[in-house]
Amino acid sequence: MAVSSGEGKTADQEDPVRRESARQRAGEQGLLFDEQPTTLPGDIGYRGPTACSAAGITYRQLDYWARTSLVEPTIRAAQGSGSQRLYSFRDILVLKVVKRLLDTGVSLQQIRTAVQHLRDRGVADLAQITLMSDGVSVYECTSADEVIDLLQGGQGVFGIALGRVWREVEGSLAELPGERAAVEDTVPADHPADELARRRRARRTS
């Protein structure tokens, strides 16, 4: 997925007029890393309907992507009848990116690769990535030069600046309900607190 600038450039790609045109296109589309998103609390979760509204997807899509492990809730998974999934801000950001990639015709296989790549990134890094797609492959750009090279080369015909998507999700969630995750929702697997969390859940359901 990573794109390396400066490799395989044609004579047309070296043309300063074409390059300036590509830079203007990138600027108009907001693809040049001009966003400075804020850091949100990591223990705030959002239920399925809220995640759907902020990401612009249906609940059916949300449920299917969770069941097929495309995008799973990282704060709390569904645990039987009556339990509610809780999605983090980062989860919703990825959901919105998946929706946009699907809308451009990118295959689920390519999207899975892109999502796995995003999972390996820190939250702060996501805001400095622009994803470009030609409808077949997904390219990661971490500099303005990489974005411009793809635009003027004709490869990347669609761009998603994650910093801008971050701002959109942030704005949507400001008007939607969230909830602070309980301790037992956020402890990692095999953590010493797991047994205590299980006992608390057992007491609540007995």
Side-chain angles (χ1 to χ4, degrees), residues 51 66 83 123-124 135 154 176:
S83 65
V123 173
L176 296 168

Side-chain angles (χ1 to χ4, degrees), residues 98-169:
V98 169
K99 172 65 162 56
R100 291 196 175 177
L101 290 173
L102 278 175
D103 288 346
T104 68
V106 178
S107 71
L108 269 178
Q109 183 178 0
Q110 285 289 333
I111 290 174
R112 284 186 184 278
T113 301
V115 167
Q116 184 56 53
H117 187 76
L118 294 180
R119 283 193 187 117
D120 296 337
R121 290 283 195 170
V123 173
D125 284 345
L126 291 184
Q128 301 305 316
I129 293 175
T130 289
L131 296 180
M132 305 290 286
S133 173
D134 55 8
V136 178
S137 299
V138 180
Y139 306 89
E140 175 201 346
C141 301
T142 55
S143 75
D145 283 342
E146 289 175 343
V147 173
I148 293 164
D149 285 346
L150 281 175
L151 283 175
Q152 70 174 348
Q155 290 173 276
V157 296
F158 179 83
I160 305 172
L162 297 198
R164 175 162 288 198
V165 178
W166 184 303
R167 285 290 193 194
E168 292 173 6
V169 172

Side-chain angles (χ1 to χ4, degrees), residues 3 34 40 61 65 94 99 160-161 192:
V3 176
D34 58 349
L40 298 182
Q61 287 175 308
W65 295 347
V94 175
K99 172 65 162 56
I160 305 172

Side-chain angles (χ1 to χ4, degrees), residues 34-39 89 93 96 127 161-174:
D34 58 349
E35 300 289 337
Q36 295 296 325
T38 58
T39 300
F89 178 90
L93 178 73
K96 195 173 184 75
L162 297 198
R164 175 162 288 198
V165 178
W166 184 303
R167 285 290 193 194
E168 292 173 6
V169 172
E170 189 178 46
S172 297
L173 291 178

Side-chain angles (χ1 to χ4, degrees), residues 1-144:
M1 268 187 57
V3 176
S4 138
S5 62
E7 295 182 4
K9 291 182 181 179
T10 66
D12 284 340
Q13 287 176 300
E14 299 278 356
D15 184 349
V17 175
R18 283 173 59 88
R19 189 167 185 80
E20 181 57 31
S21 175
R23 180 179 290 277
Q24 289 176 2
R25 284 176 57 202
E28 289 167 1
Q29 295 177 51
L31 302 179
L32 296 183
F33 315 101
D34 58 349
E35 300 289 337
Q36 295 296 325
T38 58
T39 300
L40 298 182
D43 60 346
I44 299 296
Y46 303 91
R47 296 193 177 196
T50 298
C52 289
S53 180
I57 62 175
T58 66
Y59 193 85
R60 184 177 180 180
Q61 287 175 308
L62 182 81
D63 184 59
Y64 178 71
W65 295 347
R67 288 187 289 106
T68 58
S69 302
L70 178 60
V71 185
E72 298 177 280
T74 56
I75 292 185
R76 184 174 68 209
Q79 299 172 340
S81 177
S83 65
Q84 292 279 343
R85 298 186 184 106
L86 275 187
Y87 288 82
S88 69
F89 178 90
R90 179 194 175 100
D91 297 336
I92 298 172
L93 178 73
V94 175
L95 286 169
K96 195 173 184 75
V97 169
V98 169
K99 172 65 162 56
R100 291 196 175 177
L101 290 173
L102 278 175
D103 288 346
T104 68
V106 178
S107 71
L108 269 178
Q109 183 178 0
Q110 285 289 333
I111 290 174
R112 284 186 184 278
T113 301
V115 167
Q116 184 56 53
H117 187 76
L118 294 180
R119 283 193 187 117
D120 296 337
R121 290 283 195 170
V123 173
D125 284 345
L126 291 184
Q128 301 305 316
I129 293 175
T130 289
L131 296 180
M132 305 290 286
S133 173
D134 55 8
V136 178
S137 299
V138 180
Y139 306 89
E140 175 201 346
C141 301
T142 55
S143 75

